[in-house]
Every structure is written in C-alpha cells, then in structure tokens.
Amino acid sequence: MAKTIIREFIDGKDEGAWIELYNEFKSYYYSSDFEPLDERGVEWFKRTPWWRESRLFIAERDGEPVGFILPFIDKAYDPPKGYIWEFAVKPNLEGDEVDSILLSKAVSWLSSAGARGIQASARDNMLKRIRLYQSVGFKMIRTFSRMRLKPEEIRENIGACAEAELRIANPTWSCEDLKTLNALCNMAFQEHFDFRSETLEETRAWLEEEGYENHVLIALIRGKPVGYVVASISDKLSGDRPKIGFISSIGVLKPFRRRGVGTSLILEAIRWLSEKGAELIELDVDDANPTGAPQFYAKIGFKAIFKTLTYLKRL
C-alpha cells in the first residue's frame, strides 16, 4: 500500500486540489444539495480573518492529493477553542489511514496552538466519518437540521408584525449598516449554543463571499432596530439542480419576539429569493434553539431534510 504523506498547503499550487477534493467529497454525501466550491470561494476564504488562524493540511499518495483538513483555532474564546472547519478525502479512501492521519494532524496542531477543546461536525449519512470521530474521543453534543421550503408551500394566515418597518440595508457599503447588523446579530444570539461576539471584520467577511448576492433587511419598531434577516443566492450554474436560496441568518431581539417580527422578515426574504429565481429556500437551525426557531420555521412551512451532528473532543 502506498504511504500517506501529510504536508501543509502551498499557496499558488494547491488551490485546484482543495477545490476538487472538496467537491468530490461533498457531492458523494450531499448529491446536488450543496453549492460547489470554486476559485472565487477559495480566494475569498484566504482573505478572511478565519484563514489567519487556520492551517490547511494536504494528504498525498504517490504525489497525488487524496484528502485535506482545515483546522481553525478561535482565540476569542478563553481558553482558545479548535474547530475542524473542513475535512474531505476521496470517498473510496474513507476508513483507510488517510482520514485518521489527517484528523490526528489537525488535533495535534490545534493542541499545540492552545485549544482545550475541538468541535467538528458530520452529516447524518457520513457513517465512516462519525465512527472516526467517536473512535478518537469526540462526543456528540448537538444536532442541527437543514430545513427546506418551496415558496408556493408557505402556509396561509401567518401573522406578520404590522408595527414593524422593514428597511433594506447595505452593510458592505455603509459602516452604519454594518455596525447595526453586527450589533443585532450579537444581541440576538447571545443565549445560543457556541456563542461568542462576532467582530465587525467577521460580519463584513461573510457578506463579501464572491458568487453570492445578499439581501439584508433590518426590522425597526418606532425607529429602533429590533431584528434582521440575511437572504443569499448563488450565481453559480446549477445545471439540472433546482436553484436554491438561503436564509443565511435571522434574529430578533429578545424583548420583541413573539410579535411577528421574525415572520415579517422571513416572508420578505422568501419573496426576494423567489424573485431571484429560487425554486427552493433552505436554512440551518439548532434543534435545541432556545427561541423555539425549529417550530417557527415549521409553522412557515419548512421541513427538515437532513441532520448535521456536532461533536466535541476535550483536550
């Protein structure tokens, strides 16, 4: 059997392998239910603040890249927390030494960088990946649902908020809009799983991913910002795949929940995505979300299509 060699990513050389391995692995487990990575996505990520605290390791056999892992150390936590951000191998090599050696390398690097815990995730059909995590001490701590809706399936007589004014925001151009969105996101999510305050740089970075058009709405009551939604749609060619729009993020400040603000926001986001040609609308939600978000989305008409399992390994 050929020996597996692990080396660090080489800028200007390994981008193609990163893209090819990512797309091969994701398409195996997600079929058409994922946005393929392209050169724009790679170059965007290399400009983000998360890249500065990451390492990308490539696995090779006989000089051919056969897998990669992208660990990230988040020093905003005290003590720092590690994440397995992306992890892909050729599907026919799963369960071989390739994935276990890559994971061992990532755990070693994160430990040396100061992480005291490492978080990772796997879709519910990734049985070999799940067994790998469990075999080295990762414990499942959370589940998330991917939910989907056809715009024509929105349920009738859903109560929107008559007193809420919705304003289109442009946080990539307006500093004030960026600050407002960042503040709303941090305040709305502070009671949620794995929360830590997002920086202005991070908020801007995820809105600037190339290949996606975003629609940002701010909800105001008597002039006060009380909630937001970010809807996103890709410009990538989909072939026979239905065009999918995403509710990337939505939040309402705690004192203003249960008043239809979130309903007003999500209905307007769905309307915009439909106008952009989205045939399906998707979002991700924590199954144990403290606001009852899964039930709210089900009331709109969303249905769960798969689960993502979150794991933690303590160091």
Side-chain angles (χ1 to χ4, degrees):
M1 183 175 68
K3 183 179 180 181
T4 302
I5 297 173
I6 307 296
R7 61 171 178 80
E8 287 204 31
F9 169 83
I10 300 174
D11 195 12
K13 173 186 175 182
D14 289 325
E15 288 81 358
W18 179 355
I19 293 166
E20 182 178 344
L21 288 164
Y22 176 95
N23 289 336
E24 183 177 355
F25 183 80
K26 289 284 187 176
S27 64
Y28 183 79
Y29 283 107
Y30 289 81
S31 185
S32 61
D33 293 331
F34 84 104
E35 292 286 354
L37 183 65
D38 60 17
E39 293 83 355
R40 295 176 301 173
V42 165
E43 293 307 315
W44 162 77
F45 189 71
K46 286 160 60 178
R47 295 192 299 269
T48 69
W50 307 293
W51 178 250
R52 295 196 295 266
E53 302 295 342
S54 303
R55 289 290 186 277
L56 196 154
F57 298 101
I58 304 284
E60 283 188 349
R61 278 188 175 175
D62 295 328
E64 178 191 358
V66 293
F68 77 84
I69 196 164
L70 178 61
F72 163 70
I73 180 80
D74 194 336
K75 296 178 180 177
Y77 289 97
D78 185 19
K81 187 173 183 178
Y83 291 85
I84 305 299
W85 198 297
E86 292 291 351
F87 183 10
V89 301
K90 287 186 172 293
N92 65 305
L93 295 179
E94 274 199 290
D96 200 338
E97 65 171 7
V98 174
D99 48 7
S100 61
I101 293 175
L102 278 168
L103 182 58
S104 177
K105 181 67 175 179
V107 169
S108 176
W109 179 78
L110 287 166
S111 178
S112 68
R116 293 297 170 263
I118 301 173
Q119 195 165 299
S121 63
R123 183 175 165 170
D124 52 7
N125 64 344
M126 295 179 177
L127 301 183
K128 291 181 179 178
R129 176 65 52 81
I130 290 168
R131 286 197 292 269
L132 173 63
Y133 284 146
Q134 293 173 337
S135 72
V136 295
F138 282 83
K139 306 294 184 184
M140 191 174 75
I141 57 170
R142 211 77 170 189
T143 64
F144 289 75
S145 290
R146 172 66 59 88
M147 302 187 79
R148 174 182 289 172
L149 167 80
K150 292 180 180 179
E152 62 270 21
E153 294 175 342
I154 294 176
R155 295 182 177 171
E156 297 180 356
N157 302 317
I158 300 171
C161 182
E163 61 179 332
E165 173 196 353
L166 303 187
R167 178 177 70 83
I168 297 174
N170 194 340
T172 57
W173 290 96
S174 165
C175 289
E176 286 306 311
D177 283 353
L178 178 65
K179 291 176 182 177
T180 298
L181 177 62
N182 174 264
L184 285 169
C185 182
N186 285 331
M187 287 188 286
F189 279 86
Q190 59 188 350
E191 70 212 86
H192 287 54
F193 167 73
D194 206 32
F195 172 80
R196 62 93 165 151
S197 293
E198 185 175 86
T199 67
L200 285 171
E201 184 185 16
E202 289 170 328
T203 301
R204 179 185 291 277
W206 67 262
L207 290 169
E208 290 181 337
E209 182 172 2
E210 294 185 38
Y212 292 88
E213 183 179 359
N214 297 308
H215 185 59
V216 182
L217 293 170
I218 304 295
L220 302 102
I221 292 182
R222 294 183 294 280
K224 174 185 172 63
V226 300
Y228 75 94
V229 67
V230 180
S232 306
I233 193 161
S234 171
D235 68 3
K236 299 171 187 176
L237 296 175
S238 57
D240 295 332
R241 174 180 179 267
K243 195 167 184 64
I244 298 176
F246 295 89
I247 305 298
S248 299
S249 185
I250 183 171
V252 177
L253 300 187
K254 193 170 185 178
F256 298 90
R257 293 173 188 161
R258 309 290 188 272
R259 292 165 64 172
V261 176
T263 302
S264 296
L265 287 164
I266 201 167
L267 289 177
E268 182 59 23
I270 291 170
R271 185 197 64 77
W272 180 84
L273 289 167
S274 297
E275 288 184 351
K276 292 292 179 177
E279 301 165 70
L280 301 171
I281 314 295
E282 294 185 354
L283 54 81
D284 292 309
V285 63
D286 178 359
D287 289 339
N289 186 299
T291 69
Q295 294 77 22
F296 166 65
Y297 298 137
K299 180 182 175 183
I300 299 289
F302 284 89
K303 298 179 177 67
I305 56 172
F306 64 79
K307 303 282 186 182
T308 298
L309 315 179
T310 299
Y311 291 84
L312 180 68
K313 177 180 174 67
R314 300 193 183 279
L315 301 177

